[in-house]
Amino acid sequence: MNDAAPAPTPAPAPVPASTPAPAPRRARVRAPELIGKGGWINTGGRDLKLADFRGRTLILDFWTFCCINCLHVLDELRELEEKHRDTLVIVGVHSPKFVHEAEHQAVVDAVERYEVHHPVLDDPELATWKQYAVRAWPTLVVIDPEGYVVAQHAGEGHANAIRTLVEELEAEHEAKGTLRRGDGPYVPPEPVATDLRFPGKAVLLPTGDFLVSDTTRHQLVELGPDGETVVRRIGDGDFREPQGLTVLPDGKVVVADTVNHALRTYDPATGVIERIAGTGTQWWQGSPTSGPALDVDLSSPWDVAWWRGKVWIAMAGVHQLWTYDPETRTVAVAAGTTNEGLVDGPAAEAWFAQPSGLAATEDRLWIADSETSALRWIDTEGVVHTAVGTGLFDFGHRDGDAGQALLQHPLGVTALPDGSVAVSDTYNHALRRFDPVSGEVTTLATDLREPSDAVLVGDEIVVVESARHRLTRLRLPEEAVQVEAVAHRTQREATEVAPGRLRLDVVFQAPTGQKLDERYGPSTRLLVSSTPPELLIGGAGTGTDLFRELDLDPGITEGVLHVSAMAASCDDPAGGSQAEGSGGEYPACHVHQQDWGVPVKVTPDGAARLPLILAGMDA
């Protein structure tokens, strides 16, 4: 996720970051206390302290529930959490980006929605985030059974490295007598009986019934025309957190099977469910981006729409739009570079940030681009435009001219008959409207609870109120609701850096028993850019070293550095490590990647070095 926190006190000069250098002794730093004004969730009401985890390996997962990368990491950790349940405790430290995410009940809802089965510390003021000098979501911090920080990992793809470290710590502390086995502090909440549980999206079927993705229960639910009566439940083990739905011309429904990284069709006439795209494996950099649909990996498809003879896919996990062609049964990237941000222009050069909602009209495909709090669209010539929104850091609830209007993490968009669109403005709990003719943004309804989609039914609109677990029917108002304007900026203090030359170091240490994978060329990649672009006189662009000398324009005093890093490591046969299932013929390889957005302020006393930890500890 493309945001970052301020830097701690500058560290000493590093080991060159592009060369992993395993140390004979593991570096250890005493772990700070866990503090969060929101208190604890999933502990049965008990407040926990760091001392309560002594004798176990502790993993702190710094996450926020808007962040798709954080949701990926939750899934990565599930197997590890189950396998080492008697010696390992995972604690989620919820560290909000958006104002809505600082509300305690919203965090409680998110913990249930995403089936988080470990204690969560609600840290709305980022106290623990700052104590641990965390810079980005998601970040994992490993603390040994004696209370020392031994590793930090940012981004995705670290599950194998952490598994290896957990097993090392378990053996080491078993031998020392400092390991304590037993049940952890997790206490599950009481289940609540509702027909829907955190529904995601909905479509109107030709019968007049509604089909709803019942996300947390991993099913589809068909409701009668009243939007309340359950007609049938669909999918027993077929889906994992399904989201988007779209009806094809032949009557079948395409389902974005989000956590399975797949598309499936459901035929309401026969009940048959069929996978049509995706392998079930998450897409990583370097994987194919087109080809036979069942052979190409996808990444958290969040919504789908039928437009111009193809199924368009909001591929939230990689910040792109893809298409599925039912005639050729192929998929391909349609727009976006995988870089996270807001950049318009030709489809191949545009940047998105977790596109999560789609709506098609004859000449436009509308996009709810959630992490930039933006409403965007792509035209028939393949050019991407922004109607509302300015980027990753600004959000709020402000109506009026679209150039200054604000949304907060919208997840849905719905085309209206007059050519305007309704936006499910999720974190503002509102339904908004954008009129492309007047260029005005208005508010249609408030007091909704995390609306994630809406369906037009005659002169009414049916809203998916995700956090109220229901569909809510509204009559489209003739006049907009008057809402007091509020504007917010992501609360991240800028990192103070010195003018002139800035050394950027991405710290990466290959896990024990692995080495960088150089078989097919460079195993690391670093992409650097800035907002505004003029901030960087030198150092922008792509390279293969995980360090870079950046030259800052002395005339620009603040901006954002966008850094994307990737490293691939493989089991080293010489080191005696071979992952299960590798078969012995080819080493198991792992991709580690993260995007940072680092707000910087140029000051005379600022740091001359900017360290970002991808994996390991900064020297």
Side-chain angles (χ1 to χ4, degrees), residues 8-32:
T9 304
V15 176
S18 59
T19 305
R25 297 181 60 187
R26 188 181 295 117
R28 301 201 309 171
V29 177
R30 176 63 72 180

Side-chain angles (χ1 to χ4, degrees), residues 140-222:
L140 300 171
V141 175
V142 183
I143 300 172
D144 73 12
E146 293 179 290
Y148 290 89
V149 175
V150 293
Q152 182 171 320
H153 302 262
E156 301 179 51
H158 301 292
N160 182 70
I162 292 177
R163 174 184 62 80
T164 301
L165 179 55
V166 166
E167 291 172 354
E168 287 178 357
L169 291 171
E170 190 174 292
E172 175 185 330
H173 288 273
E174 184 97 81
K176 289 176 64 176
T178 50
L179 188 72
R180 178 170 58 88
R181 295 180 181 271
D183 293 334
Y186 169 65
V187 178
E190 290 293 324
V192 181
T194 54
D195 289 331
L196 300 173
R197 205 69 193 160
F198 298 104
K201 306 286 186 180
V203 291
L204 187 65
L205 297 174
T207 60
D209 286 355
F210 295 93
L211 189 65
V212 185
S213 54
D214 197 18
T215 302
T216 299
R217 294 212 177 106
H218 313 291
Q219 292 183 320
L220 309 181
V221 178
E222 185 177 336

Side-chain angles (χ1 to χ4, degrees), residues 549-570:
E549 298 289 345
L550 307 179
D551 293 311
L552 306 180
D553 186 335
I556 298 178
T557 58
E558 60 182 31
V560 179
L561 293 176
H562 303 282
V563 180
S564 178
M566 185 274 289
S569 62
C570 292

Side-chain angles (χ1 to χ4, degrees), residues 406-589:
L406 293 171
L407 309 169
Q408 186 180 181
H409 197 81
L411 291 178
V413 58
T414 306
L416 300 179
D418 63 358
S420 67
V421 290
V423 179
S424 295
D425 193 5
T426 309
Y427 287 4
N428 280 327
H429 310 299
L431 191 68
R432 312 286 293 283
R433 176 178 179 264
F434 170 68
D435 183 352
V437 175
S438 67
E440 293 288 310
V441 175
T442 54
T443 297
L444 297 176
T446 58
D447 194 32
L448 301 167
R449 186 68 185 172
E450 293 191 17
S452 54
D453 197 18
V455 181
L456 192 67
V457 184
D459 59 356
E460 296 180 326
I461 193 162
V462 175
V463 180
V464 180
E465 273 198 279
S466 187
R468 283 200 178 113
H469 321 291
R470 70 187 188 190
L471 303 187
T472 298
R473 189 179 298 265
L474 304 172
R475 182 168 294 276
L476 284 171
E478 294 185 9
E479 292 188 7
V481 179
Q482 295 299 311
V483 175
E484 185 176 350
V486 292
H488 301 287
R489 188 164 178 81
T490 301
Q491 296 303 305
R492 301 288 174 267
E493 296 175 27
T495 298
E496 294 190 356
V497 297
R501 174 119 340 160
L502 176 67
R503 165 84 177 205
L504 171 67
D505 282 310
V506 174
V507 178
F508 177 75
Q509 296 161 359
T512 303
Q514 292 187 20
K515 63 178 183 179
L516 289 175
D517 178 18
E518 305 282 0
R519 291 174 299 159
Y520 307 111
S523 60
T524 56
R525 188 191 69 166
L526 181 64
L527 172 66
V528 181
S529 63
S530 67
T531 303
E534 297 78 20
L535 175 65
L536 284 177
I537 298 174
T542 303
T544 57
D545 290 322
L546 291 182
F547 61 88
R548 188 80 58 85
E549 298 289 345
L550 307 179
D551 293 311
L552 306 180
D553 186 335
I556 298 178
T557 58
E558 60 182 31
V560 179
L561 293 176
H562 303 282
V563 180
S564 178
M566 185 274 289
S569 62
C570 292
D571 290 348
D572 182 2
S577 174
Q578 195 84 23
E580 292 180 12
S582 62
E585 185 176 355
Y586 300 104
C589 297

